[in-house]
């Protein structure tokens, strides 16, 4: 069994199952108990974790990677800072790798490839802007989500790979995508990622890799010395300009490659808006200077290959013949002299034919069919993939996707929420462009950080505008409360969703409030049948409390006086330390009751407080307010033996009625 399954990292991340293995790390599905969410935990393999220099670089670079925050990059939530286990905590992506997606779909539609590569480059642009180079871009490290968006993964480990290390069999999975400078062991920069992204685009367009071999070394050598077959020779449906973008990204000469991800994105966006755009370079511009004696391998693709062939002939000393030299000159000389009449007749005939054709063309223009016109279809609520497959669109309209998105409750995310022109309008001739705006889904808010320094009440005040705008429900129920050693009781430990996560209309925000430090529990002994004095004397050792003046009640009982006959906490149960326990104790006086009647003062008072004490007791056996109009009050007194009885009216001793009483026989 895997040693990490069931283990808790840093008393926070519970490892649930293994979901992937790579050359440098193992990826697990885990649960974050602090924020109550599922995450992915990538644990560095033990042999690498034992290298002190590697650990130092791992910690430094992982901290930098954790700062990346982009929609097309898998988010890094946390990195380990101590202990023997080195790991990175990332978002758990609900999707499959681009490699798996291509294996299922085979050769992708060029529009889909354009959609994916644009998002990949945006993620790389964000990373490069922060000085981070991935160095291991490949379809296996790109996740495709259910909504069609993509996220670049594995920044944490890829950044640590030594660019100078020798290629081994373990690198076979990545060597198909490495740049020539990586294969040579040279220093790499952001342009190496661009080359790898170009290979990914090539594979999506052509349905195959540009270079293949039986070993990692043989593939690496091809990256250094070979030119791949042009994608359009494999699939002629690929637009020529998209092929050029792909081949420029894959230029073996790093100086002929795109200088930045943003530069490549600019060409991708320009092509997306106008597939017929004329880029300022062609395949000939992308060829590296050949310093060997071997002839250069040509990239054959339509008109460009004709240009290459003509250039090759010029380089070999061949001269192009003028058009008149390429035809036969014999007939020209044969009829060039003495046949002027025939020539004039021929020219006249040609002129007549031209005039006739021109006249016929003018007449036909009046009877020509109307210019081709198309009715704009309704695209609201539909995905781009569906739209591209619509018969009303294919061959009739060009779809241009506006970069701006539109928040919408009506149309799901990544479906059309706005279009121009509107459905039903007619477009004639070449004016057949439909611009669409995609929905970003419902308008969203952002959950603020209300932890540690906020109570639930103050958090709701701070979030008042959000609560009203998005009709949020705040759940602060006791069932969510947790003990905490760090957060004071009553303050918020965490929220679901967490700070920074999106809020949608109608969401419920759970506020997990601290109950303070966890209180230990103790068992309750059986005290019934024991003497009260001995129980109270030893109650501290049971971690329970009892105030004799408040929590002890004397009751008539056949038990010996002072014996506990009832306890408020059931024995053999568990309660918090310091819990109060109450007792009922036998008075031992059940057979010694005396009934006494006393006269009330008639001095004008309406009510008088009557207190009757037996013997030297500090606590009266009768204590009540009585209306003087009753004239007398009757009380029952309990005692054993001969005792004086003292009667007080409003705290003043009435000596005339105080007397001694015999209790019992």
């Amino acid at each position: 069994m895997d040693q990490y399954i069931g283990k808790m990292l840093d008393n926070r991340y519970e490892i649930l199952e293994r979901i992937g293995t790579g050359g440098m790390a193992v990826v697990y599905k885990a649960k974050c108990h602090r924020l109550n969410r599922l995450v992915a935990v990538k644990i560095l393999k033990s042999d690498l974790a034992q290298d002190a220099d590697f650990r130092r670089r791992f910690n430094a670079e992982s901290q930098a990677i954790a700062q990346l925050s982009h929609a097309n990059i898998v988010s890094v939530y946390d990195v380990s800072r101590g202990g023997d286990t080195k790991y990175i905590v990332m978002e758990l992506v609900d999707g499959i790798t681009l490699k798996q997606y291509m294996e299922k779909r085979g050769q992708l539609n060029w529009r889909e490839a354009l959609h994916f590569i644009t998002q990949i480059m945006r993620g790389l642009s964000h990373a490069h802007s922060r000085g981070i180079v991935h160095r291991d871009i490949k379809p296996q490290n790109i996740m495709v989500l259910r909504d069609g968006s993509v996220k670049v993964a594995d920044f944490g480990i890829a950044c640590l790979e030594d660019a100078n290390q020798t290629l081994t069999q373990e690198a076979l999975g990545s060597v198909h995508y490495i740049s020539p400078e990586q294969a040579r062991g040279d220093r790499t920069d952001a342009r190496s990622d661009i080359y790898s992204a170009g290979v990914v685009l090539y594979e999506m367009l052509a349905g195959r890799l540009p270079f293949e071999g039986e070993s990692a070394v043989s593939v690496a050598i091809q990256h250094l010395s070979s030119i791949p077959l042009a994608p359009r020779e494999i699939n002629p449906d690929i637009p020529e300009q998209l092929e050029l973008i792909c081949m420029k990204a894959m230029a073996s000469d790093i100086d002929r490659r795109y200088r930045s991800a943003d530069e490549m994105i600019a060409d991708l966006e320009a092509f997306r808006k106008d597939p017929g755009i004329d880029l300022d370079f062609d395949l000939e511009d992308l060829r590296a200077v050949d310093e060997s004696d071997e002839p250069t391998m040509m990239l054959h693709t339509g008109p460009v290959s004709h240009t290459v062939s003509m250039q090759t002939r010029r380089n070999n000393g061949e001269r192009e013949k003028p058009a008149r030299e390429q035809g036969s000159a014999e007939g020209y000389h044969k009829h060039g002299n003495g046949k002027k009449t025939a020539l004039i007749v021929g020219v006249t005939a040609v002129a007549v034919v031209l005039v006739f054709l021109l006249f016929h063309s003018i007449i036909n223009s009046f009877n020509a069919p109307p210019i081709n016109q198309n009715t704009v279809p309704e695209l609201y609520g539909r995905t781009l993939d569906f739209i591209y497959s619509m018969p009303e669109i294919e061959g009739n309209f060009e779809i241009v996707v506006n970069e701006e998105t539109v928040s919408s409750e009506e149309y799901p995310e990544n479906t059309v929420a706005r279009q121009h022109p509107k459905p039903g309008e007619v477009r004639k001739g070449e004016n057949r462009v439909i611009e669409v705006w995609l929905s970003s889904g419902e308008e969203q808010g952002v959950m603020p950080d209300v932890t540690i320094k906020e109570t639930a009440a103050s958090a709701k005040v701070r979030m008042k505008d959000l609560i009203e705008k998005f009709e949020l429900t705040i759940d602060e129920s006791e069932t969510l409360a947790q003990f905490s050693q760090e957060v004071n009781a009553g303050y918020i430990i965490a929220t679901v969703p967490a700070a920074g996560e999106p809020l949608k209309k109608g969401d419920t925000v759970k506020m997990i409030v601290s109950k303070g430090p966890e209180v230990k529990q103790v068992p309750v002994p059986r005290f019934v049948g024991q003497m009260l004095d001995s129980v109270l004397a030893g109650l501290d050792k049971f971690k329970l409390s009892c105030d004799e003046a408040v929590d002890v009640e004397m009751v008539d009982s056949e038990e010996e006086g002072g014996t506990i006959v009832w306890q408020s906490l059931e024995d053999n149960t568990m309660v918090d330390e310091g819990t109060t326990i109450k007792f009922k104790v036998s008075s031992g006086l059940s057979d010694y009751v005396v009934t006494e009647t006393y006269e009330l003062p008639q001095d004008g008072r309406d009510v008088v407080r009557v207190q009757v004490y037996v013997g030297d007791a500090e606590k009266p056996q009768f204590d009540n307010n009585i209306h003087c109009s009753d004239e007398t009050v009757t009380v029952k007194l309990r005692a054993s033996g001969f005792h004086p009885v003292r009667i007080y009216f409003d705290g003043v001793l009435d000596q005339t009625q105080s007397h001694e009483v015999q209790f019992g026989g």
Side-chain angles (χ1 to χ4, degrees):
M1 182 178 176
D2 192 299
Q3 61 172 326
Y4 290 108
I5 302 297
K7 185 176 180 180
M8 186 79 75
L9 299 179
D10 289 342
N11 199 33
R12 178 173 180 178
Y13 304 109
E14 180 185 1
I15 305 298
L16 303 177
E17 60 180 289
R18 179 188 292 201
I19 57 177
T21 304
M24 306 181 73
V26 180
V27 183
Y28 296 89
K29 181 179 180 181
K31 181 179 181 181
C32 173
H33 284 266
R34 184 173 300 173
L35 299 179
N36 193 30
R37 65 180 176 186
L38 295 176
V39 296
V41 175
K42 177 172 287 188
I43 300 179
L44 203 60
K45 289 186 175 178
S46 57
D47 55 339
L48 295 175
Q50 292 175 1
D51 186 309
D53 182 60
F54 195 94
R55 289 199 307 271
R56 178 184 57 78
R57 292 169 57 205
F58 173 87
N59 289 332
E61 296 192 30
S62 295
Q63 293 297 325
I65 295 158
Q67 303 306 312
L68 296 180
S69 178
H70 193 272
N72 298 122
I73 295 178
V74 174
S75 298
V76 175
Y77 296 143
D78 193 9
V79 294
S80 65
R81 295 174 175 81
D84 296 331
T85 304
K86 298 294 178 183
Y87 63 87
I88 300 175
V89 181
M90 306 171 295
E91 69 172 306
L92 186 63
V93 178
D94 182 15
I96 60 176
T97 67
L98 179 57
K99 191 69 173 179
Q100 293 169 327
Y101 186 85
M102 287 192 290
E103 288 172 351
K104 288 184 177 181
R105 293 287 302 272
Q107 185 172 299
L108 303 188
N109 178 288
W110 67 263
R111 292 183 178 86
E112 197 170 14
L114 174 64
H115 175 68
F116 287 154
I117 193 63
T118 302
Q119 294 184 73
I120 293 169
M121 297 311 299
R122 285 173 179 162
L124 289 178
S125 171
H126 177 77
H128 294 168
S129 69
R130 282 151 179 76
I132 296 176
V133 181
H134 192 291
R135 296 189 179 92
D136 194 23
I137 291 296
K138 56 186 178 181
Q140 293 90 332
N141 286 341
I142 297 166
M143 301 300 297
V144 179
L145 281 64
R146 293 181 183 274
D147 63 2
S149 61
V150 302
K151 288 180 179 281
V152 182
D154 272 3
F155 271 91
I157 297 300
C159 251
L160 300 175
E161 292 182 357
D162 188 350
N164 295 316
Q165 65 183 343
T166 303
L167 289 172
T168 65
Q169 191 63 28
E170 290 183 358
L172 186 58
S174 300
V175 76
H176 294 91
Y177 306 92
I178 63 171
S179 63
E181 56 270 21
Q182 283 177 283
R184 285 192 299 268
D186 293 345
R187 183 177 181 84
T188 57
D189 59 21
R191 290 173 293 180
S192 299
D193 283 350
I194 293 172
Y195 181 94
S196 300
V199 177
V200 173
L201 176 57
Y202 184 104
E203 187 177 5
M204 288 192 289
L205 293 173
R208 50 164 281 186
L209 288 161
F211 302 118
E212 294 182 338
E214 295 181 356
S215 67
V217 174
S218 67
V219 175
I221 291 174
Q222 292 181 69
H223 280 286
L224 292 170
S225 60
S226 301
I227 298 176
L229 193 65
R232 294 182 68 232
E233 291 201 5
I234 302 171
N235 179 11
D237 294 334
I238 299 170
E240 183 177 351
Q241 305 308 316
L242 185 57
E243 177 189 64
L244 284 176
I245 294 172
C246 175
M247 298 307 287
K248 183 171 183 177
M250 285 180 58
S252 58
D253 183 350
I254 194 170
D255 293 326
R256 296 171 186 259
R257 214 175 293 162
Y258 283 109
R259 291 171 296 180
S260 68
D262 288 338
E263 187 176 289
M264 183 171 171
I265 291 171
D267 276 359
L268 289 169
E269 287 298 323
F271 167 76
R272 180 180 62 80
K273 294 177 181 177
D274 180 11
I277 189 172
D278 184 15
L279 300 175
D280 60 354
F281 60 89
D282 57 28
L283 288 180
E284 182 68 17
D285 298 329
L286 305 178
R287 294 174 56 227
V289 177
D290 189 5
E291 299 178 353
S292 68
D293 294 333
E294 295 294 327
T296 301
M297 180 184 297
M298 297 302 170
L299 298 174
H300 303 293
T301 172
V304 177
S305 53
H306 172 72
T307 302
V308 174
S309 299
M310 295 296 292
Q311 179 66 38
T312 303
R313 289 201 293 270
R314 285 195 289 271
N315 291 342
N316 291 336
E318 297 181 21
R319 183 173 62 89
E320 294 182 49
K321 295 180 180 181
R324 58 189 176 90
E325 290 183 21
Q326 295 178 15
S328 172
E330 182 180 351
Y332 176 82
H333 291 289
K334 180 178 180 180
H335 301 284
N337 297 317
K339 300 295 183 180
K340 293 182 179 180
T341 302
L343 179 60
I344 293 172
V345 172
V347 171
T348 302
V350 171
V352 171
V353 171
L354 290 176
V355 171
F356 174 78
L357 292 176
L358 178 61
F359 178 77
H360 188 266
S361 175
I362 293 172
I363 294 300
N364 284 342
S365 66
F366 292 103
N367 299 319
I371 297 174
N372 184 35
Q373 59 184 27
N374 298 88
T375 302
V376 177
E378 181 175 337
L379 306 180
Y380 297 120
R382 293 172 174 171
T383 64
L384 290 176
D385 286 343
F386 182 86
I387 291 170
Y388 290 138
S389 66
M390 291 173 62
E392 305 96 310
I393 296 296
E394 194 169 1
N396 296 322
F397 287 99
E398 176 189 351
I399 302 298
V400 174
V401 182
N402 195 292
E403 290 185 357
E404 296 182 4
T405 57
V406 178
S407 62
S408 171
E409 297 181 16
E410 182 178 0
Y411 301 113
E413 187 176 0
N414 290 321
T415 64
V416 173
R418 184 193 302 168
Q419 70 175 84
H420 178 78
K422 295 181 179 179
E425 292 188 16
V426 175
R427 285 296 181 263
K428 300 178 180 180
E430 299 300 322
N431 185 20
R432 294 182 293 168
V433 174
I434 302 177
E435 185 175 13
V436 297
W437 287 257
L438 296 181
S439 168
S440 59
E442 295 182 33
E443 184 181 3
Q444 295 182 345
V446 178
M447 180 66 197
D449 187 355
V450 295
T451 58
I452 301 178
K453 296 182 180 180
E454 300 273 6
T455 64
S458 63
K460 285 190 289 186
V461 172
R462 180 176 164 190
M463 293 176 60
K464 179 181 178 182
D465 292 342
L466 278 174
I467 293 172
E468 293 177 354
K469 182 175 182 179
F470 293 100
E471 301 177 8
L472 303 177
T473 299
I474 305 299
D475 183 359
E476 51 178 309
S477 57
E478 181 65 26
T479 56
L480 297 174
Q482 297 179 4
F483 292 109
S484 174
Q485 299 296 125
E486 296 84 14
V487 181
N488 293 333
Y491 287 83
I492 298 172
I493 300 174
T495 58
V496 180
E501 293 187 353
L503 289 172
K504 295 181 180 179
K505 189 174 182 179
D507 277 355
T508 296
V509 176
K510 296 182 179 180
M511 293 186 177
I512 302 170
V513 178
S514 170
K515 295 194 290 187
E518 185 174 3
V519 179
K520 295 181 180 179
Q521 290 197 315
V522 293
V524 178
R526 179 174 176 80
F527 295 115
V528 173
Q530 300 183 43
M531 300 302 293
L532 176 65
D533 291 343
S534 62
V535 168
L536 294 179
L539 200 59
D540 286 346
K541 70 180 180 180
F542 298 110
K543 306 297 183 182
L544 300 173
S545 66
C546 179
D547 184 343
E548 184 177 2
V550 177
D551 302 321
V552 175
E553 179 185 354
M554 303 300 294
V555 296
D556 293 340
S557 171
E558 295 179 357
E559 298 293 332
E560 180 182 355
T563 302
I564 296 174
V565 296
W566 174 87
Q567 62 187 67
S568 61
L569 302 178
E570 188 176 349
D571 58 288
N572 295 321
T573 58
M574 301 295 294
V575 297
D576 293 343
E577 287 185 355
T579 299
T580 297
I581 186 170
K582 297 182 179 181
F583 298 114
K584 290 183 179 180
V585 179
S586 172
S587 64
L589 304 177
S590 58
D591 296 330
Y592 303 97
V593 179
V594 173
T595 301
E596 294 285 314
T597 300
Y598 303 103
E599 294 181 359
L600 298 175
Q602 301 296 316
D603 53 6
R605 285 179 282 185
D606 291 333
V607 178
V608 64
R609 181 181 180 184
V610 179
Q611 294 174 300
V612 181
Y613 292 83
V614 177
D616 297 329
E618 296 181 359
K619 184 177 180 181
Q621 284 196 22
F622 182 86
D623 187 349
N624 209 343
N625 291 322
I626 306 297
H627 288 280
C628 293
S629 59
D630 292 344
E631 296 185 356
T632 62
V633 59
T634 301
V635 300
K636 289 185 178 181
L637 303 175
R638 294 181 177 82
S640 177
F642 191 76
H643 296 284
V645 175
R646 292 167 290 139
I647 298 93
Y648 288 81
F649 297 115
D650 288 335
V652 178
L653 177 66
D654 186 334
Q655 296 182 349
T656 61
Q657 298 189 75
S658 296
H659 60 290
E660 293 185 345
V661 177
Q662 177 68 43
F663 294 88

